[in-house]
Amino acid sequence: MIDHISVGVADLERAASFYEATLAPLGLSRLVTRPATIGFGKTYPEFWINLRAGMAPVPPESGTHVCLRAKAVGEVDAFHAAALSTGGRSDGAPGLRPHDRVKYYAAFVIDPDGNRIEAVTFPSE
């Protein structure tokens, strides 16, 4: 249903380094580079970072987050580890999160600009 998503960043190069490392475990790489925007994806840009030079950090109470699908638990773990090693903060360590409707495995991170990003997979067991 959603074709692509974009998030604002105050420092494009810092964000590019963060997202190149963080999205790689999910199979996304940098596909498009323009002066004020970079697109990541598998075959076409699905996730964009857009320079907003005067942007203040995203407030934690914004409630907004982006969730990206992982193929396996190991990808979620690697996503979280890469985010923490490149300037991100944990907003929920990798782990199983049982719900009444579905069981899922997810990790939540906050990028250097305050954007909340999640990786999720749905293990069969």
Side-chain angles (χ1 to χ4, degrees):
M1 178 166 113
I2 296 172
D3 181 71
H4 64 275
I5 188 95
S6 63
V7 296
V9 299
D11 181 325
L12 194 62
E13 288 312 311
R14 177 186 69 186
S17 294
F18 173 83
Y19 281 108
E20 283 174 337
T22 302
L23 298 179
L26 305 178
L28 284 78
S29 61
R30 185 194 291 216
L31 299 177
V32 175
T33 301
R34 297 183 185 140
T37 189
I38 297 173
F40 298 86
K42 294 177 182 173
T43 58
Y44 72 95
E46 304 167 61
F47 186 90
W48 293 88
I49 56 174
N50 297 313
L51 178 62
R52 301 293 183 255
M55 186 178 109
V58 177
E61 66 274 6
S62 75
T64 302
H65 87 279
V66 174
C67 181
L68 304 170
R69 182 73 62 96
K71 292 180 185 170
V73 166
E75 290 183 3
V76 173
D77 294 344
F79 159 88
H80 189 264
L84 298 186
S85 72
T86 55
R89 298 184 324 253
S90 180
D91 197 34
L96 193 59
R97 288 164 168 81
H99 266 258
D100 54 343
R101 291 184 348 201
V102 64
K103 175 176 72 170
Y104 67 100
Y105 187 93
F108 301 81
V109 299
I110 300 172
D111 79 2
D113 292 288
N115 295 300
R116 297 176 65 229
I117 311 295
E118 173 186 2
V120 67
T121 191
F122 298 89
S124 57
E125 295 183 12

